[in-house]
Amino acid sequence: MCIRDSSSTDYQFRPGHWLVGAQMMFVAFGALVLVPLLTGLDPNVALFTAGGGTLIFQAVTRGKVPVFLASSFAFIAPIIYGVKTWGVPGTLCGLAAAGVVYILLSLLVRWQGSGIIKRVLPPVVVGPVIMVIGLILAPVAVHMAMGKTGDGAVVLVPQGTAMIVSMISLLTTIVITLLGRGVLRLIPILCGIVVGYVMALFFGLVDFSPVTQAPWLAVPSFVLPEWNLEAIFFIVPVAIAPAIEHFGDVLAIGGITGKNYVEDPGIQNTMLGDGLATSFASMLGGPPNTTYSEVTGAVALTRAFNPAVMTWAAIFAVALAFIGKLGALLQTIPVPVMGGILLLLFGAIMVVGLNSLVRAGDDLMEPRNLTIVALILVFGIGGMSFSIGKFTLAGIGLAGILGVVLNLVLPQGRNAESDTAETA
């Protein structure tokens, strides 16, 4: 059942807001904890930094935008690679630098206007980069669904058992996505985890000993970053895709509430808040933050337009971070459960990128567009890398930088030039 709230967009606390805020936290919970569980970060820290990041965002935007910030899926692949290569502290340095990129972009928008983002990062660049993120992660999802580690090197669960559990998790997520009603439709990931977990219990795949040993109350295991220039060069380019997604999310929530948040508080301030929240999270051991579309959907459903609701959601996230047994319980989720859900999730990321190209309406067979899209996809998915000394640029980062450079240096096609002339 949906909890109705006033549709006022003014920031003010009212009776019952805490309950609506708890509902918003519930909607974001499944996706929020999935990122740290997949990448080896601490879910309790992710909860704390999601709540803290949301509060930072609200302070920067003067409490005008009803959004909740939490773990970004765009950084999953770089974090997995980074943790294996440089460890968690070194990877956090690169993630904190990604937040600085948002801050610099906010300053650029403040100087040049919001149109600069569309000129530097048009759909023909951002769409393929988002597709690369989903496609690079596809093998990780398949391996986990088959009961292996993300890289496929170690078998954790017999394949037959793993396939049953993962497919039931996947099927549950799909059914809730298609047939769910009300708030239930906004939490397909959480539903998939719960049903998959129950099946895993049936097959004896869950070990509760970490839960019994964990304290009820505990300070999250914060991790401080360590300076690592290689990690910075590797991870920073990944910030390109979520930066333009942020612009779309701000437009989406504005369309729901009837407010023009691009003008007030301004896209430069929303991006600044996102950047500060991301750097804050990374400085404590959490994944980068981003605005959550699930919560945006919940805002549309409940008409809870008052940003104070998100303050309560943030408070609940911070409070949950100090429940030690919750983090231990989350870490008992078997690999096949997460793998089944990720099959759909990573595919959906690819489709989001494809959809941005379709909606833009660009002719992809026009030589300039074809060149940009083709090279981004092949460089990113094919594993192309460039090394200078100890520094290596590869994967999503290389694909993103290549796309930006090609978009800036390649001459406009004849069709684009004629369209520009007609517009003038």
Side-chain angles (χ1 to χ4, degrees), residues 18-269:
W18 66 272
L19 192 56
V20 185
Q23 180 175 266
M24 296 298 178
M25 174 67 248
F26 180 69
V27 167
F29 187 83
L32 193 168
V33 299
L34 198 60
V35 174
L37 290 175
L38 184 62
T39 58
L41 301 181
D42 191 296
N44 288 69
V45 174
L47 281 165
F48 182 89
T49 55
T54 299
L55 295 176
I56 290 172
F57 180 90
Q58 288 194 324
V60 173
T61 58
R62 305 186 299 280
K64 292 189 174 184
V65 190
V67 298
F68 184 83
L69 272 62
S71 311
S72 172
F73 281 83
F75 290 90
I76 290 177
I79 295 175
I80 292 175
Y81 177 85
V83 170
K84 289 182 179 179
T85 307
W86 306 293
V88 172
T91 302
L92 292 174
C93 178
L95 297 176
V100 174
V101 171
Y102 294 150
I103 296 172
L104 294 176
L105 284 173
S106 74
L107 296 176
L108 180 62
V109 172
R110 197 178 301 273
W111 174 41
Q112 292 287 326
S114 60
I116 188 67
I117 295 180
K118 292 182 179 179
R119 291 197 296 273
V120 177
L121 299 172
V124 74
V125 171
V126 177
V129 171
I130 296 175
M131 292 172 67
V132 167
I133 293 172
L135 292 171
I136 281 181
L137 290 169
V140 174
V142 171
H143 288 147
M144 293 178 69
M146 295 173 65
K148 303 177 183 178
T149 54
D151 58 3
V154 180
V155 176
L156 302 175
V157 178
Q159 183 171 328
T161 302
M163 289 296 290
I164 294 173
V165 174
S166 62
M167 291 303 107
I168 289 177
S169 300
L170 172 62
L171 181 62
T172 301
T173 306
I174 293 173
V175 170
I176 297 299
T177 300
L178 297 178
L179 304 179
R181 293 292 182 267
V183 175
L184 191 66
R185 188 173 184 177
L186 300 172
I187 54 171
I189 293 175
L190 188 58
C191 292
I193 291 176
V194 170
V195 174
Y197 195 86
V198 171
M199 287 301 303
L201 286 172
F202 176 79
F203 284 104
L205 302 181
V206 181
D207 177 15
F208 284 110
S209 57
V211 182
T212 58
Q213 296 170 8
W216 277 103
L217 296 177
V219 176
S221 301
F222 298 119
V223 179
L224 299 178
E226 292 179 357
W227 176 255
N228 191 311
L229 194 58
E230 290 183 68
I232 292 175
F233 275 94
F234 180 80
I235 295 176
V236 158
V238 181
I240 292 173
I244 196 68
E245 279 189 282
H246 171 84
F247 188 83
D249 289 337
V250 172
L251 291 175
I253 191 66
I256 291 170
T257 63
K259 291 277 189 175
N260 186 354
Y261 297 122
V262 174
E263 296 297 328
D264 183 23
I267 192 67
Q268 68 275 14
N269 289 319

Side-chain angles (χ1 to χ4, degrees), residues 220-418:
S221 301
F222 298 119
V223 179
L224 299 178
E226 292 179 357
W227 176 255
N228 191 311
L229 194 58
E230 290 183 68
I232 292 175
F233 275 94
F234 180 80
I235 295 176
V236 158
V238 181
I240 292 173
I244 196 68
E245 279 189 282
H246 171 84
F247 188 83
D249 289 337
V250 172
L251 291 175
I253 191 66
I256 291 170
T257 63
K259 291 277 189 175
N260 186 354
Y261 297 122
V262 174
E263 296 297 328
D264 183 23
I267 192 67
Q268 68 275 14
N269 289 319
T270 63
M271 190 166 287
L272 174 62
D274 206 331
L276 292 174
T278 289
S279 291
F280 164 77
S282 303
M283 294 297 289
L284 295 178
N289 283 317
T290 187
T291 50
Y292 257 34
S293 57
E294 295 95 332
V295 175
T296 299
V299 169
L301 181 66
T302 62
R303 298 188 64 79
F305 299 159
N306 193 323
V309 169
M310 298 305 170
T311 301
W312 279 113
I315 291 172
F316 276 108
V318 172
L320 288 175
F322 289 89
I323 301 178
K325 287 191 180 296
L326 174 61
L329 180 64
L330 291 172
Q331 292 175 337
T332 65
I333 300 175
V335 163
V337 175
M338 293 188 290
I341 295 167
L342 294 177
L343 289 172
L344 177 64
L345 203 58
F346 291 161
I349 293 174
M350 188 277 294
V351 174
V352 168
L354 180 62
N355 187 54
S356 67
L357 286 174
V358 172
R359 293 180 62 182
D362 295 328
D363 181 6
L364 298 184
M365 297 309 295
E366 193 275 323
R368 180 180 188 275
N369 294 336
L370 186 149
T371 299
I372 294 173
V373 174
L375 291 181
I376 289 176
L377 291 174
V378 173
F379 273 52
I381 301 169
M384 179 68 75
S385 64
F386 288 107
S387 299
I388 302 176
K390 295 191 300 180
F391 306 115
T392 300
L393 191 61
I396 302 167
L398 175 60
I401 289 181
L402 176 67
V404 170
V405 172
L406 289 176
N407 177 63
L408 294 176
V409 302
L410 293 181
Q412 290 288 338
R414 294 178 181 177
N415 293 340
E417 291 176 352
S418 62

